[in-house]
């Protein structure tokens, strides 16, 4: 069971809302809505996605990484290396 | 007609793909997929959304802003101020 | 004369402060200060640099781009294309 | 001794180079260099600073966080919470 399963419903609710916002973006473009309004909505969806990502990363570090560290130094180091790659991808996106 | 209507179909296709990716994220969380894999997908969706945003901003500057500038200095200035606020929101997201 | 020369002194003052902050970062590392404190300071310097960049972009769009647009459509388009590349580099950094 | 002391010289060299780049930015502004060239340099300095930040975070997670986790669950959790706040600040900058 993955580390974030504790608040799985919360993540699913947030992602469902994001899906609705992306559908809303399609409607805005289809209706030729003003670009700046579309951009404002895109910034808001991006922020919501980043918040989900940061929540998952937080739980991953608290659970998977610390559990691996309790097993062995090598396991802890491997999980930290993997988590850092995820941080780099989030920062670059 | 908004400035981005030239490639409206392209934006709609890209947003439909992003909507599918967000549905995919919900499936990943529902199936307790590994956090790092979910984070990789979130970074990819965020990048796709930013690309749509940059495309819209590009067309907005080329069309709405330059057309406003052709009307009057005040109109051009007002559109630039508005576009800069959109850039700040994209950078902060 | 570049478009941002109006508040040149303001930019120079801000950049001098940023230079001082980067020297402060070197002192923190030299004194083995706690990583998290160094990271907090790095985030603050990055934000200050981005603020200078957004200020320059703002003036560039208001002056160089709108002046070029007043000359000819081609000149305006070329300046917008160039400014968008700068926005992409700022977003990717 | 802070966790990043192993490659302290490397961080100090990188920060000294960044300090030189910020001095170069001041010279560019003082000489009324073209805004877009200044923006390109700002994006490059920001990237260099983020790279130092990511390096420090990497070592912090590998050393301070894993060492704290070896001491006690509470210590590990506290260090992860603190590291996540640093990640949020880096992402917001």
């Amino acid at each position: 069971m993955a580390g974030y399963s504790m608040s799985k419903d919360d993540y699913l609710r947030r992602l469902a809302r994001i899906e609705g916002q992306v559908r809303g973006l399609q409607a805005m473009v289809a209706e030729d809505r003003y670009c700046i309004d579309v951009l404002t909505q895109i910034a808001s969806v991006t922020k919501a996605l980043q918040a989900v990502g940061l929540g998952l990363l937080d739980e991953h570090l608290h659970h998977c990484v610390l559990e691996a560290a309790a097993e062995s130094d090598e396991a802890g180091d491997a999980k930290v290396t993997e988590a850092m790659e995820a941080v780099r991808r989030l920062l670059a996106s």
Side-chain angles (χ1 to χ4, degrees), chain A residues 34-86:
Chain A
Y34 188 48
C35 315
I36 295 291
D37 295 337
V38 185
L39 284 172
T40 301
Q41 187 64 2
I42 284 179
S44 151
V45 180
T46 305
K47 239 185 169 100
L49 262 174
Q50 295 256 19
V52 171
L54 284 167
L56 288 169
L57 180 67
D58 187 291
E59 294 191 51
H60 181 68
L61 290 175
H62 276 292
H63 298 106
C64 308
V65 173
L66 293 184
E67 276 165 34
E71 270 177 50
S72 73
D73 284 1
E74 288 71 30
D77 272 325
K79 287 291 179 194
V80 162
T81 298
E82 192 188 54
M84 271 306 300
E85 282 160 17

Coordinates of all heavy atoms in Angstrom, one line a residue, chain A residues 34-86:
Chain A
Y34 N -11.6 35.3 -23.7 CA -10.4 36.1 -23.7 C -9.1 35.4 -23.2 O -9.2 34.8 -22.1 CB -10.7 37.4 -22.9 CG -9.6 38.5 -23.0 CD1 -9.1 38.9 -24.2 CD2 -9.1 39.1 -21.8 CE1 -8.2 39.9 -24.3 CE2 -8.2 40.0 -21.9 CZ -7.7 40.4 -23.1 OH -6.7 41.4 -23.2
C35 N -8.1 35.5 -24.0 CA -6.8 34.7 -23.7 C -6.4 34.9 -22.2 O -5.9 34.0 -21.6 CB -5.6 35.2 -24.5 SG -5.9 35.4 -26.2
I36 N -6.4 36.1 -21.7 CA -5.9 36.4 -20.4 C -6.7 35.7 -19.3 O -6.2 35.2 -18.3 CB -5.9 38.0 -20.1 CG1 -5.0 38.7 -21.1 CG2 -5.6 38.3 -18.7 CD1 -3.5 38.4 -20.8
D37 N -8.1 35.5 -19.6 CA -8.9 34.8 -18.6 C -8.5 33.3 -18.7 O -8.5 32.6 -17.6 CB -10.4 35.0 -19.0 CG -10.8 36.4 -18.8 OD1 -10.2 37.1 -18.0 OD2 -11.8 36.8 -19.4
V38 N -8.2 32.8 -19.9 CA -7.8 31.4 -20.0 C -6.5 31.2 -19.3 O -6.3 30.2 -18.5 CB -7.7 31.0 -21.5 CG1 -7.3 29.5 -21.6 CG2 -8.9 31.3 -22.3
L39 N -5.5 32.2 -19.4 CA -4.2 32.1 -18.8 C -4.4 32.1 -17.3 O -3.7 31.4 -16.5 CB -3.3 33.2 -19.2 CG -2.7 33.1 -20.6 CD1 -2.0 34.4 -21.0 CD2 -1.8 31.9 -20.7
T40 N -5.3 32.9 -16.7 CA -5.5 33.0 -15.3 C -6.0 31.6 -14.8 O -5.5 31.1 -13.8 CB -6.6 34.0 -15.0 OG1 -6.1 35.3 -15.5 CG2 -6.8 34.1 -13.5
Q41 N -6.8 31.0 -15.5 CA -7.3 29.7 -15.2 C -6.2 28.6 -15.3 O -6.1 27.7 -14.4 CB -8.5 29.3 -16.1 CG -9.3 28.1 -15.7 CD -10.0 28.1 -14.3 OE1 -9.9 29.2 -13.6 NE2 -10.5 27.0 -13.9
I42 N -5.4 28.7 -16.3 CA -4.3 27.8 -16.4 C -3.3 27.9 -15.2 O -2.9 26.9 -14.7 CB -3.5 28.0 -17.8 CG1 -4.3 27.4 -18.9 CG2 -2.1 27.4 -17.7 CD1 -3.7 27.6 -20.3
A43 N -3.0 29.1 -14.8 CA -2.2 29.3 -13.6 C -2.8 28.7 -12.4 O -2.1 28.1 -11.6 CB -1.9 30.8 -13.4
S44 N -4.1 28.8 -12.3 CA -4.8 28.2 -11.1 C -4.8 26.7 -11.1 O -4.6 26.0 -10.1 CB -6.2 28.8 -11.1 OG -7.1 27.9 -10.5
V45 N -5.0 26.1 -12.3 CA -4.9 24.6 -12.4 C -3.5 24.1 -12.1 O -3.3 23.1 -11.4 CB -5.4 24.1 -13.8 CG1 -5.3 22.6 -13.9 CG2 -6.8 24.6 -14.1
T46 N -2.5 24.8 -12.7 CA -1.1 24.4 -12.5 C -0.8 24.4 -11.0 O -0.2 23.5 -10.4 CB -0.2 25.4 -13.2 OG1 -0.5 25.4 -14.6 CG2 1.3 24.9 -13.1
K47 N -1.3 25.5 -10.3 CA -1.0 25.6 -8.8 C -1.7 24.4 -8.1 O -1.1 23.9 -7.2 CB -1.6 26.9 -8.3 CG -0.6 27.8 -7.7 CD -1.2 29.1 -7.1 CE -0.2 29.8 -6.2 NZ 0.4 30.9 -6.9
A48 N -2.9 24.1 -8.5 CA -3.6 23.0 -7.8 C -2.9 21.7 -8.0 O -2.8 20.8 -7.1 CB -5.1 22.9 -8.4
L49 N -2.4 21.5 -9.3 CA -1.6 20.2 -9.5 C -0.3 20.2 -8.7 O 0.0 19.1 -8.2 CB -1.2 20.2 -11.0 CG -2.1 19.4 -12.0 CD1 -1.6 19.6 -13.4 CD2 -2.0 17.9 -11.6
Q50 N 0.4 21.3 -8.6 CA 1.6 21.4 -7.8 C 1.3 21.1 -6.4 O 2.1 20.4 -5.7 CB 2.2 22.8 -7.9 CG 2.7 23.2 -9.3 CD 4.2 23.1 -9.5 OE1 4.9 22.4 -8.7 NE2 4.7 23.7 -10.5
A51 N 0.1 21.6 -5.9 CA -0.2 21.3 -4.5 C -0.4 19.8 -4.3 O 0.0 19.3 -3.2 CB -1.5 22.1 -4.1
V52 N -1.1 19.1 -5.2 CA -1.2 17.7 -5.1 C 0.2 17.0 -5.1 O 0.5 16.1 -4.3 CB -2.1 17.1 -6.3 CG1 -2.0 15.6 -6.3 CG2 -3.5 17.6 -6.1
G53 N 1.1 17.5 -6.0 CA 2.4 16.9 -6.1 C 3.2 17.1 -4.8 O 3.8 16.2 -4.3
L54 N 3.1 18.3 -4.2 CA 3.8 18.6 -3.0 C 3.2 17.7 -1.8 O 4.0 17.3 -1.0 CB 3.7 20.1 -2.6 CG 4.7 20.9 -3.5 CD1 4.4 22.4 -3.3 CD2 6.1 20.7 -3.1
G55 N 1.9 17.5 -1.8 CA 1.3 16.7 -0.8 C 1.8 15.2 -0.9 O 2.2 14.6 0.1
L56 N 1.9 14.7 -2.1 CA 2.4 13.4 -2.3 C 3.8 13.2 -1.9 O 4.2 12.3 -1.3 CB 2.2 13.0 -3.8 CG 0.8 12.7 -4.3 CD1 0.8 12.6 -5.8 CD2 0.2 11.4 -3.7
L57 N 4.6 14.3 -2.3 CA 6.1 14.2 -1.9 C 6.2 14.2 -0.4 O 7.1 13.5 0.1 CB 6.7 15.4 -2.6 CG 8.2 15.6 -2.3 CD1 9.0 14.4 -3.0 CD2 8.8 16.9 -2.7
D58 N 5.4 15.1 0.2 CA 5.5 15.2 1.7 C 5.2 13.8 2.3 O 6.0 13.3 3.2 CB 4.4 16.2 2.1 CG 4.5 16.5 3.6 OD1 4.2 15.6 4.4 OD2 4.8 17.6 4.0
E59 N 4.2 13.1 1.9 CA 3.9 11.8 2.5 C 4.9 10.8 2.1 O 5.2 9.9 2.9 CB 2.5 11.4 2.0 CG 1.4 12.3 2.6 CD 0.0 11.7 2.3 OE1 -0.2 10.5 2.7 OE2 -0.8 12.4 1.8
H60 N 5.4 10.9 0.9 CA 6.4 10.0 0.4 C 7.7 10.0 1.3 O 8.2 9.0 1.7 CB 6.8 10.2 -1.0 CG 7.8 9.3 -1.6 ND1 7.5 7.9 -1.8 CD2 9.1 9.5 -1.9 CE1 8.6 7.3 -2.2 NE2 9.6 8.2 -2.3
L61 N 8.1 11.3 1.6 CA 9.3 11.5 2.5 C 9.0 11.0 3.9 O 9.8 10.3 4.5 CB 9.7 12.9 2.5 CG 10.3 13.5 1.2 CD1 10.6 15.0 1.3 CD2 11.6 12.8 0.8
H62 N 7.8 11.3 4.4 CA 7.5 10.9 5.8 C 7.3 9.4 5.9 O 7.7 8.8 6.9 CB 6.2 11.5 6.2 CG 6.4 12.9 6.8 ND1 7.1 13.2 8.0 CD2 6.0 14.1 6.3 CE1 7.1 14.5 8.2 NE2 6.5 15.1 7.2
H63 N 6.8 8.7 4.8 CA 6.6 7.3 5.0 C 7.6 6.4 4.3 O 8.5 5.8 4.9 CB 5.1 7.0 4.5 CG 4.1 7.7 5.4 ND1 3.4 8.8 4.9 CD2 3.8 7.5 6.7 CE1 2.7 9.2 5.9 NE2 2.9 8.4 7.0
C64 N 7.6 6.4 2.9 CA 8.5 5.5 2.2 C 9.9 5.7 2.5 O 10.7 4.8 2.8 CB 8.3 5.7 0.7 SG 6.6 5.5 0.2
V65 N 10.3 7.0 2.6 CA 11.8 7.3 2.8 C 12.2 6.9 4.2 O 13.2 6.3 4.4 CB 12.1 8.8 2.4 CG1 13.5 9.1 2.8 CG2 11.9 9.0 0.9
L66 N 11.4 7.4 5.2 CA 11.8 7.1 6.5 C 11.7 5.6 6.9 O 12.6 5.0 7.6 CB 11.0 7.9 7.5 CG 11.3 9.4 7.5 CD1 10.5 10.2 8.5 CD2 12.8 9.8 7.6
E67 N 10.7 4.9 6.3 CA 10.7 3.4 6.4 C 11.9 2.7 5.8 O 12.5 1.8 6.4 CB 9.4 2.9 5.8 CG 8.2 3.0 6.7 CD 6.9 2.7 6.0 OE1 6.9 1.9 5.0 OE2 5.9 3.4 6.3
A68 N 12.3 3.2 4.6 CA 13.5 2.6 4.0 C 14.7 2.9 4.8 O 15.6 2.0 5.0 CB 13.6 3.2 2.6
A69 N 14.8 4.1 5.4 CA 15.9 4.4 6.2 C 16.0 3.5 7.5 O 17.1 3.2 8.0 CB 15.9 5.9 6.7
A70 N 14.8 3.1 8.0 CA 14.8 2.3 9.2 C 15.3 0.9 8.8 O 15.9 0.2 9.7 CB 13.4 2.2 9.7
E71 N 15.1 0.5 7.5 CA 15.6 -0.8 7.1 C 17.1 -0.9 7.0 O 17.8 -1.7 7.6 CB 15.0 -1.1 5.7 CG 13.7 -1.9 5.7 CD 13.2 -2.0 4.3 OE1 14.0 -2.5 3.5 OE2 12.1 -1.7 4.0
S72 N 17.7 0.0 6.2 CA 19.1 0.1 6.0 C 19.5 1.4 5.5 O 18.7 2.1 4.9 CB 19.6 -1.0 5.1 OG 19.2 -0.7 3.7
D73 N 20.8 1.8 5.7 CA 21.3 3.0 5.1 C 21.2 3.1 3.6 O 20.9 4.1 3.0 CB 22.8 3.2 5.5 CG 23.0 3.6 6.9 OD1 22.0 3.7 7.6 OD2 24.1 3.8 7.4
E74 N 21.5 1.9 3.0 CA 21.5 1.8 1.5 C 20.1 2.1 1.0 O 19.9 2.8 0.1 CB 21.9 0.4 1.0 CG 23.4 0.2 1.2 CD 23.8 0.0 2.6 OE1 23.0 -0.5 3.4 OE2 24.9 0.4 3.0
A75 N 19.1 1.5 1.7 CA 17.7 1.6 1.3 C 17.3 3.1 1.4 O 16.6 3.7 0.5 CB 16.8 0.7 2.1
G76 N 17.6 3.7 2.5 CA 17.3 5.1 2.8 C 17.9 6.0 1.7 O 17.3 6.9 1.1
D77 N 19.2 5.8 1.4 CA 19.9 6.6 0.4 C 19.3 6.4 -1.0 O 19.1 7.4 -1.7 CB 21.4 6.2 0.3 CG 22.3 6.9 1.3 OD1 22.0 8.1 1.5 OD2 23.2 6.3 1.8
A78 N 18.9 5.2 -1.3 CA 18.3 5.0 -2.6 C 16.9 5.7 -2.8 O 16.7 6.3 -3.8 CB 18.0 3.5 -2.9
K79 N 16.2 5.7 -1.7 CA 14.9 6.4 -1.7 C 15.1 7.9 -1.8 O 14.3 8.7 -2.4 CB 14.1 6.1 -0.4 CG 13.5 4.7 -0.4 CD 12.4 4.5 -1.5 CE 11.9 3.1 -1.5 NZ 11.1 2.8 -2.6
V80 N 16.1 8.5 -1.1 CA 16.3 9.9 -1.1 C 16.8 10.3 -2.5 O 16.3 11.3 -3.0 CB 17.4 10.3 -0.1 CG1 18.0 11.7 -0.4 CG2 16.8 10.3 1.3
T81 N 17.6 9.5 -3.1 CA 18.1 9.8 -4.5 C 16.9 9.9 -5.5 O 16.8 10.8 -6.3 CB 19.1 8.8 -5.0 OG1 20.2 8.8 -4.1 CG2 19.5 9.0 -6.4
E82 N 16.0 8.9 -5.3 CA 14.8 8.9 -6.1 C 13.9 10.1 -5.9 O 13.3 10.7 -6.8 CB 14.1 7.6 -5.8 CG 13.0 7.2 -6.7 CD 12.2 6.0 -6.1 OE1 11.8 6.0 -5.0 OE2 12.1 5.0 -6.8
A83 N 13.7 10.4 -4.6 CA 12.9 11.6 -4.3 C 13.5 12.9 -4.8 O 12.7 13.8 -5.3 CB 12.7 11.7 -2.7
M84 N 14.8 13.0 -4.8 CA 15.4 14.2 -5.3 C 15.2 14.4 -6.8 O 15.0 15.5 -7.3 CB 16.9 14.2 -5.0 CG 17.3 14.8 -3.7 SD 16.7 16.5 -3.4 CE 17.5 17.4 -4.7
E85 N 15.2 13.2 -7.5 CA 14.9 13.3 -8.9 C 13.5 13.8 -9.2 O 13.2 14.6 -10.1 CB 15.1 11.9 -9.6 CG 16.6 11.6 -9.8 CD 16.8 10.1 -10.0 OE1 15.8 9.4 -10.3 OE2 18.0 9.7 -9.9
A86 N 12.5 13.4 -8.3 CA 11.2 13.9 -8.4 C 11.1 15.4 -8.1 O 10.4 16.2 -8.8 CB 10.2 13.1 -7.4

